[in-house]
Amino acid sequence: MDPDAVAKAFVDYYYTTFDTNRAGLASVYQESSVLSFEGQKYQGTQSISGKLTGLPFQQCKHQINTVDCQPSGAAGGMLVFVSGNLSLPGEQHALKFSQMFHLIPTQGGSFYVQNDIFRLNYA
Amino acid sequence: MDPDAVAKAFVDYYYTTFDTNRAGLASVYQESSVLSFEGQKYQGTQSISGKLTGLPFQQCKHQINTVDCQPSGAAGGMLVFVSGNLSLPGEQHALKFSQMFHLIPTQGGSFYVQNDIFRLNYA
């Protein structure tokens, strides 16, 4: 399996789901997962999903600029590093962001997100 | 050992060394290490150090804005996510960058960089 193809498929799925059905993101996390969102930490599916669905905007649109991928050294794990723009309703200018994911294989042949770190890149 | 303190100490060491003695960065990598620098991949100490010392500027100054840290799930590993500004000689405006490191413990009680992904955040 080509790691770059897996990374691209994950990134496409993640941000499409974020922009169209944010509650559906819960399925990519597990109880051990950790999200750092603008410096605040959330652990576990419920806590992470609660943070993401509770963000103070209903509509958004992610545009991906770069995706980098490397094997993480953990068994079958992959690090995915994303940069892009986030457009919010009523905002004239898109916000730049960077985000990294650590993907770990599941027994079912898929991946879950063990680590997720998100930062806006303020100008 | 407080992971956030380890991450901060690593970040301080890494960017101080980058800005004052770039060749000294070779010691934080090992043969299995991978660097993705603006989308180009380099593996191993010599290849990575060659890329960093060969960058087309002699002086630079990193200013760190944020540091996020999470355990990676690998044995004792840590993910460190950095955002900041990079000032180059002759450039009026600093360049924004994001960078992530996956640190793995060494037998000697220190850490080495298994994964390093660097991206400039173009405006």
Side-chain angles (χ1 to χ4, degrees), chain B residues 28 43 62 108:
Chain B
V28 306
Q43 175 148 11
H62 291 82

Side-chain angles (χ1 to χ4, degrees), chain A residues 34-36 39 41 66 68-72 74 79 81 96 98 100 102 114-117 119 121-122, chain B residues 34-36 39 41 66 68-72 74 79 81 96 98-100 102 114-117 119 121-122:
Chain A
V34 181
L35 164 68
S36 294
K41 279 190 188 174
T66 65
D68 293 297
C69 173
Q70 293 182 5
S72 70
L79 295 166
F81 187 93
K96 301 188 72 61
S98 299
M100 61 143 291
H102 187 197
Q114 172 60 33
N115 305 93
D116 179 351
I117 302 180
R119 281 280 180 183
N121 303 128
Y122 292 107
Chain B
V34 181
L35 164 68
S36 294
K41 278 191 189 174
T66 65
D68 292 298
C69 173
Q70 292 182 5
S72 69
L79 295 166
F81 187 93
K96 301 188 72 59
S98 299
Q99 189 162 14
M100 61 142 292
H102 186 198
Q114 171 60 33
N115 305 94
D116 179 350
I117 302 179
R119 281 282 180 184
N121 302 129
Y122 292 105

